[in-house]
Amino acid sequence: MFSNLGQSKPSLFGNLGSGSTSTSTSQPQTQPSIFSHLNTNTPQTQPQLSLFSNLGGASTSPASSNLLGGPGSSQQQTGAGTGGLFGASTGTTSQPQATNFFASQNNPVSQPLQSSLFASVAPQPQQQQQQQQPGGQQPSGHTGTSQPAYFDSLLERGRKRKNGTDVASGAGELPSLQLGLGDISRRVRELGGTGGQAKHVRGQDAKTHYLLAASGISPGTALRDLKSFNTQTATPTSIPKPSDFDPDNGKFVRQLEQQSTLAMIAEGLNRAERDFDAFLEENVTMNWDEQRKRIYEHFGLAPKGGDQDDDSTTFPSPGAKGSFGRSTRRGKSHAATVNGHGTPTRSVFGNTGMQKSVIGTPGTGSGNATLFSDVADKSGDGVGVQDDRSVRQKQGRYAERVQRLNASRLQEVVYPVLDEFASVERESGGESPSQLIDAYKALIEIVKENPNANSPTDPDAIRERQFADEYLEESRNSAKAIAIRKRIINGSKKILEKHFYQNLESVIARNPREANLGGIPTTINKVRAYIRVRAARKDLVPDGSDLQILEGDYCWVLIFYLLRCGFIKEAADYVTKNQTGFRAIDRNYITYITGYASNADRRLQRSVQDRINAEYSQRSRIAPEHSIDPYRMACYKIIGRCELNKRNIDSVGQGVEDWIWLQFNLAREVNRVEEVAGEVFGLEEVQQTIKEIGQRHFSKGAEGAGGYGIYFFLQILGGLFEEAIAYLYPYSYVAAVHFAIALDFYGLLRVSDFSVSESELLTFTTQQLPQINFGRMIGYYTRDFRSANVEAAVDYLALICLNSDLHGSLGKSQTDLCHEALRELVLETREFASLLGDIRTDGTRIKGAIEQRLKLIRLADQEEFLKTVTVQAAVVADDNGRTTDAVLLYHLAEDYDKVIEVINRAVSEAISMDIGQEPVKLQPLKPRDAGQAGQQQQQDQSSLSLTSVDDPVELAGKMITLYNVNAMYFRKIKPVNRDACGILLQISHAKEKVARQQWDDALDLLDALNILPLNARSSVPLIRASAQTFNTLPPVIARNVGNLLLWTITCCGKQREILQQSPYEDHTRREMADKFAVMAKDLMVFAGLIRYRMPGRVFEVLARSGGDVGVY
């Protein structure tokens, strides 16, 4: 910045300790700095460095420093590296690098290098440069200049400026920062005052001033006078108006008509623009953050169901999001209070505090499995997808059972839901794994469901939600938690024992000769027969060990299989009966097995337990190999729970069910605080074992066809109900949903809050307890059939309220979720007559499917809920132009005035159609379900025929007749709407007469309306009075006044033409013809008075029709 001060100075960032080889040249050359041309008289013999000089060009001068110290480049020098900011790089090159802040341009020039903008003011000492040289090498050329020489140079330059030798190089040059403050001030005054003029020019200006002053002219005064003149010519402010009088009346009328037409066109364009903007606001407004996140999730760029607080996918603040282009504004507007019926908690269009649809979009097939983010990952390979036809058939059978379930709940009778659902799986044949039926049987054993129970008061009847308190207990050592774990262990063990006994009987039946059952087929005899079959096959003992025989029986084998079948009492009786023989074999075993059989919890006393453990341990360690009957050791292990760290029997052949039965047989549920640490083995340990089996053998893609049923069965046995549902869902969502329904019905399912887990099926509580998104799962399941069978969908959605008995806010949220799902179902399916009810011919209502199930959906205020849902549905139907639906819904909501408003709009629109055009048809109401309609057919004879009405005039006639005869309805309708409906019906009848060319009858009907001045008889005051009353007409009538005028003028002309063409001419006929002509003229005057309140096309048609009938 302060370079060229008489000598070359190194850069601030260059030569950091490295000597640069600078060579003197015989060619003196002055290079300007960034503010150069201010000191051009100083000869330079050293190369000058500038900021932007030599942009990469090859130079014949020695190498100079780089900003980064030239990494990766090398310079040819003698024993010295060129210093940079970050150190020197050594090497050789034949072309020196140029100092540059940017990339090289390879423009070869032959000039010295320029100094940096940040060149040093003072030279660095030679000793500092020598210290920075690598290897202690010294620079060969340049040496620093002493301080006196530097100040001498400054003094010399100051003298030259005072003598005027330092002349400015041009008007456009900026001053150098080497100038002093006085020089800078003078330079600024020159640039700002004279625009860079030379000194001799300013001198000539001064001479001019003196000359004018000597002549008596004041230059300042003359300058002010000149500036006072306005050089711009004034524009005339007013345009001469044309003459007000124009004798051409036709021109004036045309101009007026053009102005009116242009005004109407402009108004129409503005209105269309406003309507279009409003349409975009309501229908095209999209939440782009949500769209972007959905796209990211689709392509794997963001985790699914990530940040719940993010504005995107899921779940902005309540009411803030629209789903895939759906309006957020319309939802907000309709969520407001409607006609005093309360403020609904959810928008009409589905965007509320729930933030996401409960029931999802309609669809079919296995796509349900991909709606949950955690399930979609497991169903990528499509394992378990069944045929669509078989799935639909199974869904139909399940729907029948669910409808019976809800009917039984309404009648307060017991319904064996597990047994009924199991029958559906049996009817499905081989399409589903057999383990699904076994899982239902296991649940029946766990809950002890009795299919023969009828009344909830029966002693063996299982009530709805009976086990909810015990299962949902979060304290592990509480009595309720221990009781439910005992129930699960005992039930699972019992079903495994029953299943083994069934297999035993089937083996005997298939091998009658080897079994040699004979005699009385008692339980113990069947077990003996089974042992004979196994002995014949020689698979009782895999290693060929000796088996003890007592009175012809393998005694220990018999005891083991009696225990395996669950016949503990029979085993104890057998040992007691043969106690003489057992005393010779094992005298203590009688005490062990009798104590085991007599205890309800299958626990031995502490002394007996210690003795059997010691005996088992001694025999297993000391006895020689194959010297002890393996079944004897198995019986000891089962009864005494010996060596719990080894929970298998190696010497006895076991299958999967035998092994899992042993786990449940060894498990005990007691208070763990009081239990001995070595004997703690309960349901939680069994569950952990099952989870390890699943991770090892049933991971994703390793199940095989139908193999998922085995692991699902194990999970049900282990009480892992939530994990079992989530595991089964990707393979068979139909079965998973109904398992969840059965479990939730008895209170054996932990459900999650919808607002917390919107996108996942399985989540965990803060205590790491699994929970299922039950409400969302049920809602998604109805996607397959709710359009075809809405009542079945209502039955399924009503099951969400099974969880309304939960404590705290969770129960209320489940109830609200059920109500929300029903509201969405009503708005989506439009089955208003089936869902919300219908009306009989006398106006009384027929209960819909939702109202019939009010007891099941736990409504605190039934009337308020139904009104809210009905009004919301009515608003949607009215906005969508479904007049019949809106009429029914507003009637069900008891808003009878709104019914008449909707009817008036429909009739007015039908009247506005030109004669001869196709009449307006309404969309008929969807009929109610045939079964439901059949039940009411004897009473109501259908429902006002609204299911077949497509004529708005017919609909208006029926509804206004119904309301006129009932004072309750009549009082709730505004007189203006009621009168407007009557006038519209008369206009419709008059239109029919005109269409049939019954001119005289049509004129009578039109005259009775008292809207048109048909009896004015050319009285202008009467015509003006009629025109003034036009402003008081309701809009639905005023919009059709143009058609009334047209029809009336046509009737007058046609009737006048008939009278004039009559062969019998008399005075009366002429008077009538003249009367019709006067009527037509009066109507034209009336039309002229209200022409600006009617569309322009109507007035043109009237003028043409008036000419046709002879008005002009």
Side-chain angles (χ1 to χ4, degrees):
M1 183 181 296
F2 299 98
S3 60
N4 298 333
L5 299 181
Q7 57 184 351
S8 63
K9 295 297 174 185
S11 169
L12 177 62
F13 297 101
N15 298 329
L16 293 179
S18 61
S20 60
T21 308
S22 56
T23 323
S24 300
T25 177
S26 59
Q27 181 182 358
Q29 182 176 352
T30 60
Q31 297 293 338
S33 70
I34 193 170
F35 303 110
S36 59
H37 298 288
L38 297 178
N39 47 359
T40 57
N41 297 328
T42 304
Q44 300 285 339
T45 59
Q46 297 294 336
Q48 306 274 337
L49 298 179
S50 177
L51 176 62
F52 300 109
S53 63
N54 279 345
L55 294 177
S59 174
T60 59
S61 64
S64 63
S65 62
N66 195 351
L67 177 64
L68 301 177
S73 64
S74 56
Q75 299 176 359
Q76 185 178 2
Q77 55 186 350
T78 306
T82 303
L85 180 60
F86 300 104
S89 61
T90 60
T92 59
T93 180
S94 59
Q95 183 177 356
Q97 294 281 344
T99 300
N100 191 5
F101 281 84
F102 308 98
S104 300
Q105 302 294 331
N106 293 328
N107 297 325
V109 294
S110 178
Q111 61 180 11
L113 291 177
Q114 308 291 326
S115 107
S116 169
L117 174 65
F118 307 101
S120 299
V121 176
Q124 296 182 358
Q126 184 68 21
Q127 291 82 3
Q128 193 176 23
Q129 295 183 7
Q130 291 175 0
Q131 291 175 4
Q132 298 293 335
Q133 289 291 340
Q137 296 176 359
Q138 301 294 331
S140 58
H142 175 70
T143 59
T145 309
S146 61
Q147 288 284 66
Y150 171 70
F151 289 110
D152 290 344
S153 175
L154 290 178
L155 183 59
E156 181 65 23
R157 292 194 178 191
R159 292 196 189 100
K160 290 181 179 180
R161 280 198 298 273
K162 291 180 179 179
N163 296 332
T165 56
D166 219 339
V167 182
S169 58
E173 293 292 333
L174 294 175
S176 172
L177 292 182
Q178 295 173 344
L179 300 176
L181 292 178
D183 296 334
I184 292 174
S185 176
R186 175 175 55 83
R187 202 69 167 156
V188 169
R189 286 197 301 270
E190 291 176 358
L191 293 175
T194 61
Q197 291 182 349
K199 291 182 179 180
H200 65 277
V201 176
R202 294 197 299 272
Q204 293 177 0
D205 290 342
K207 294 178 180 179
T208 305
H209 281 277
Y210 289 131
L211 179 61
L212 292 174
S215 303
I217 299 174
S218 175
T221 304
L223 181 60
R224 285 194 300 270
D225 294 340
L226 290 173
K227 288 183 177 179
S228 65
F229 289 113
N230 188 3
T231 57
Q232 299 292 335
T233 304
T235 304
T237 57
S238 61
I239 300 175
K241 296 182 180 180
S243 176
D244 295 335
F245 175 74
D246 190 350
D248 191 352
N249 292 333
K251 180 180 178 181
F252 172 75
V253 171
R254 286 194 300 272
Q255 289 179 353
L256 188 60
E257 184 177 355
Q258 289 176 359
Q259 292 176 2
S260 302
T261 304
L262 292 176
M264 287 189 295
I265 292 174
E267 182 182 358
L269 291 175
N270 292 333
R271 184 169 57 252
E273 184 179 356
R274 290 193 302 269
D275 294 344
F276 181 72
D277 291 341
F279 177 82
L280 290 180
E281 286 284 340
E282 294 183 357
N283 297 280
V284 188
T285 301
M286 304 175 72
N287 191 325
W288 294 110
D289 292 335
E290 178 187 354
Q291 296 288 72
R292 182 177 64 252
K293 187 163 186 178
R294 288 187 181 184
I295 293 172
Y296 285 174
E297 289 180 358
H298 175 74
F299 289 102
L301 301 177
K304 292 186 177 180
D307 187 3
Q308 299 294 327
D309 295 331
D310 191 48
D311 253 355
S312 36
T313 51
T314 59
F315 331 120
S317 59
K321 87 169 184 60
S323 57
F324 264 88
R326 192 167 288 183
S327 168
T328 58
R329 294 174 61 89
R330 180 179 293 182
K332 294 174 183 176
S333 63
H334 288 300
T337 302
V338 183
N339 294 331
H341 292 302
T343 303
T345 58
R346 184 176 176 85
S347 158
V348 175
F349 293 93
N351 297 321
T352 66
M354 291 296 180
Q355 303 169 345
K356 202 170 184 180
S357 175
V358 179
I359 61 178
T361 56
T364 57
S366 59
N368 284 335
T370 62
L371 297 176
F372 293 101
S373 59
D374 56 340
V375 178
D377 298 335
K378 301 178 183 179
S379 60
D381 52 359
V383 177
V385 177
Q386 302 177 359
D387 179 63
D388 288 342
R389 181 180 178 184
S390 62
V391 169
R392 287 195 299 271
Q393 292 176 350
K394 181 186 289 188
Q395 285 179 333
R397 290 190 286 266
Y398 269 125
E400 293 176 1
R401 267 63 172 192
V402 170
Q403 288 177 324
R404 294 177 194 170
L405 170 63
N406 285 335
S408 300
R409 294 172 63 199
L410 290 172
Q411 299 169 8
E412 297 184 354
V413 297
V414 176
Y415 185 79
V417 59
L418 290 170
D419 185 70
E420 292 292 334
F421 284 179
S423 65
V424 174
E425 292 294 339
R426 282 192 293 267
E427 293 173 6
S428 301
E431 298 172 357
S432 300
S434 60
Q435 288 83 5
L436 298 183
I437 303 175
D438 296 337
Y440 276 118
K441 293 179 179 179
L443 292 175
I444 291 174
E445 287 296 331
I446 291 173
V447 302
K448 303 299 182 184
E449 182 182 84
N450 183 9
N452 300 321
N454 186 29
S455 174
T457 58
D458 293 346
D460 55 349
I462 305 300
R463 299 181 305 276
E464 176 183 330
R465 305 285 294 175
Q466 180 170 334
F467 307 105
D469 291 339
E470 298 177 358
Y471 184 78
L472 300 177
E473 178 64 40
E474 295 183 355
S475 178
R476 295 173 52 191
N477 293 323
S478 65
K480 292 181 179 180
I482 294 175
I484 194 63
R485 290 200 295 268
K486 283 183 179 180
R487 177 177 287 272
I488 293 174
I489 290 175
N490 295 334
S492 300
K493 183 173 64 173
K494 188 66 176 178
I495 189 61
L496 291 172
E497 292 169 349
K498 284 186 175 182
H499 195 265
F500 179 80
Y501 187 68
Q502 292 173 359
N503 292 336
L504 182 146
E505 290 181 329
S506 64
V507 169
I508 295 173
R510 290 196 304 268
N511 302 276
R513 180 177 298 179
E514 292 85 353
N516 192 18
L517 180 59
I520 300 175
T522 59
T523 301
I524 194 167
N525 287 335
K526 288 183 179 181
V527 174
R528 286 191 178 106
Y530 176 75
I531 294 173
R532 293 189 194 102
V533 174
R534 295 286 301 271
R537 296 178 181 176
K538 298 182 179 181
D539 61 353
L540 278 177
V541 183
D543 54 4
S545 300
D546 293 333
L547 301 176
Q548 289 183 342
I549 300 177
L550 179 63
E551 295 182 2
D553 293 328
Y554 294 112
C555 57
W556 295 111
V557 179
L558 182 60
I559 295 172
F560 174 80
Y561 281 115
L562 285 173
L563 295 175
R564 177 67 180 86
C565 293
F567 302 133
I568 299 174
K569 184 178 181 302
E570 286 79 357
D573 292 342
Y574 171 76
V575 173
T576 304
K577 182 179 180 181
N578 297 279
Q579 59 180 342
T580 304
F582 272 98
R583 288 185 185 279
I585 298 174
D586 191 340
R587 62 180 181 178
N588 294 326
Y589 194 74
I590 300 175
T591 305
Y592 299 155
I593 195 168
T594 53
Y596 181 82
S598 61
N599 189 283
D601 294 334
R602 303 294 181 242
R603 294 175 60 84
L604 301 176
Q605 296 180 0
R606 173 51 53 190
S607 58
V608 178
Q609 181 69 50
D610 294 340
R611 191 164 67 233
I612 192 173
N613 284 338
E615 187 174 348
Y616 179 86
S617 177
Q618 183 180 4
R619 289 180 184 276
S620 61
R621 288 199 311 268
I622 299 175
E625 188 177 2
H626 303 312
S627 63
I628 301 178
D629 191 332
Y631 285 94
R632 180 180 184 179
M633 299 299 292
C635 292
Y636 267 78
K637 191 174 189 68
I638 292 171
I639 293 176
R641 301 175 72 230
C642 305
E643 293 187 0
L644 287 177
N645 57 340
K646 297 180 181 179
R647 296 185 299 275
N648 56 355
I649 306 175
D650 298 331
S651 56
V652 177
Q654 286 183 298
V656 175
E657 289 191 4
D658 298 326
W659 180 84
I660 195 66
W661 170 81
L662 181 62
Q663 311 306 307
F664 284 104
N665 192 79
L666 296 177
R668 299 289 187 275
E669 279 298 334
V670 294
N671 192 335
R672 300 194 174 216
V673 178
E674 304 172 356
E675 184 71 6
V676 178
E679 296 182 3
V680 173
F681 182 76
L683 182 62
E684 293 182 1
E685 286 72 21
V686 176
Q687 290 175 345
Q688 186 62 34
T689 302
I690 293 174
K691 291 179 181 178
E692 294 175 358
I693 293 174
Q695 294 174 358
R696 187 179 302 122
H697 301 288
F698 296 95
S699 58
K700 179 182 177 182
E703 304 88 346
Y708 63 89
I710 299 174
Y711 185 55
F712 173 74
F713 179 57
L714 291 177
Q715 289 176 309
I716 292 294
L717 291 175
L720 299 170
F721 300 137
E722 292 82 11
E723 288 94 333
I725 299 301
Y727 177 77
L728 180 62
Y729 193 85
Y731 301 101
S732 177
Y733 68 92
V734 177
V737 167
H738 291 88
F739 267 105
I741 290 173
L743 289 167
D744 197 46
F745 180 77
Y746 289 119
L748 293 174
L749 193 70
R750 188 175 290 103
V751 298
S752 61
D753 191 352
F754 177 85
S755 61
V756 175
S757 56
E758 288 194 354
S759 60
E760 294 182 352
L761 178 62
L762 179 67
T763 54
F764 293 88
T765 65
T766 55
Q767 298 183 358
Q768 293 304 306
L769 298 175
Q771 53 187 2
I772 285 290
N773 196 343
F774 183 74
R776 173 63 63 83
M777 181 174 63
I778 295 295
Y780 282 170
Y781 177 71
T782 61
R783 297 169 70 244
D784 296 349
F785 57 84
R786 62 175 177 251
S787 297
N789 191 353
V790 290
E791 289 202 30
V794 172
D795 282 310
Y796 275 97
L797 296 177
L799 294 174
I800 300 176
C801 272
L802 285 171
N803 302 292
S804 60
D805 60 346
L806 298 177
H807 301 293
S809 61
L810 184 57
K812 185 178 183 303
S813 68
Q814 294 294 314
T815 305
D816 295 340
L817 183 64
C818 174
H819 300 167
E820 186 65 28
L822 293 173
R823 185 178 293 115
E824 288 187 5
L825 180 68
V826 171
L827 298 178
E828 178 188 301
T829 60
R830 289 185 54 243
E831 298 284 353
F832 304 122
S834 298
L835 297 177
L836 298 177
D838 209 338
I839 49 178
R840 298 187 180 96
T841 52
D842 59 354
T844 57
R845 65 181 300 160
I846 305 171
K847 289 185 177 181
I850 295 178
E851 192 171 359
Q852 292 174 359
R853 294 162 177 80
L854 289 178
K855 183 179 178 181
L856 303 181
I857 59 179
R858 309 290 198 278
L859 279 175
D861 191 346
Q862 302 175 1
E863 183 178 358
E864 185 67 22
F865 172 77
L866 289 176
K867 282 188 176 182
T868 302
V869 176
T870 305
V871 169
Q872 287 185 352
V875 171
V876 175
D878 194 12
D879 289 346
N880 294 338
R882 300 195 301 268
T883 302
T884 313
D885 293 346
V887 167
L888 172 64
L889 293 171
Y890 279 124
H891 179 85
L892 296 177
E894 300 179 1
D895 193 351
Y896 309 117
D897 186 66
K898 194 67 176 179
V899 172
I900 300 301
E901 285 186 13
V902 174
I903 290 177
N904 287 347
R905 289 200 304 268
V907 176
S908 177
E909 183 179 356
I911 293 174
S912 65
M913 302 298 294
D914 294 336
I915 296 176
Q917 290 185 350
E918 184 178 357
V920 175
K921 297 294 183 181
L922 302 178
Q923 186 177 3
L925 187 70
K926 286 187 177 182
R928 288 179 294 136
D929 182 69
Q932 183 184 0
Q935 297 174 5
Q936 306 286 343
Q937 189 173 6
Q938 301 297 330
Q939 308 177 38
D940 55 296
Q941 301 295 330
S942 188
S943 55
L944 277 181
S945 301
L946 292 182
T947 57
S948 59
V949 171
D950 59 358
D951 185 6
V953 177
E954 181 183 357
L955 177 63
K958 289 185 176 182
M959 297 306 297
I960 198 65
T961 302
L962 171 65
Y963 292 162
N964 287 337
V965 298
N966 193 319
M968 182 185 67
Y969 302 148
F970 188 85
R971 287 194 301 267
K972 294 183 178 181
I973 302 175
K974 296 178 182 178
V976 61
N977 291 331
R978 187 170 58 248
D979 296 341
C981 184
I983 293 174
L984 288 171
L985 288 176
Q986 292 181 8
I987 294 175
S988 177
H989 296 329
K991 181 181 178 181
E992 293 178 0
K993 297 294 185 181
V994 173
R996 297 172 186 170
Q997 298 184 0
Q998 299 176 2
W999 316 116
D1000 198 9
D1001 296 339
L1003 280 174
D1004 292 339
L1005 291 173
L1006 293 171
D1007 188 17
L1009 296 175
N1010 292 326
I1011 297 176
L1012 304 178
L1014 295 179
N1015 298 318
R1017 297 180 181 179
S1018 301
S1019 175
V1020 176
L1022 293 178
I1023 297 175
R1024 288 185 179 276
S1026 298
Q1028 291 175 357
T1029 58
F1030 178 83
N1031 297 328
T1032 63
L1033 294 176
V1036 291
I1037 298 176
R1039 63 178 294 188
N1040 290 299
V1041 169
N1043 290 330
L1044 288 179
L1045 287 169
L1046 181 60
W1047 301 336
T1048 308
I1049 292 176
T1050 303
C1051 291
C1052 291
K1054 296 296 183 181
Q1055 193 67 18
R1056 181 168 176 265
E1057 183 180 350
I1058 292 174
L1059 293 174
Q1060 289 177 347
Q1061 293 178 356
S1062 175
Y1064 305 101
E1065 182 177 358
D1066 54 11
H1067 180 70
T1068 304
R1069 292 180 183 274
R1070 284 196 300 272
E1071 286 184 355
M1072 291 295 296
D1074 294 339
K1075 179 182 177 181
F1076 288 131
V1078 171
M1079 283 184 182
K1081 291 179 181 180
D1082 292 345
L1083 292 176
M1084 291 303 300
V1085 175
F1086 175 79
L1089 294 175
I1090 63 171
R1091 61 173 301 181
Y1092 297 115
R1093 304 170 199 171
M1094 297 186 302
R1097 184 185 65 85
V1098 173
F1099 190 79
E1100 295 177 2
V1101 175
L1102 285 175
R1104 187 166 54 251
S1105 300
D1108 295 340
V1109 300
V1111 175
Y1112 302 122

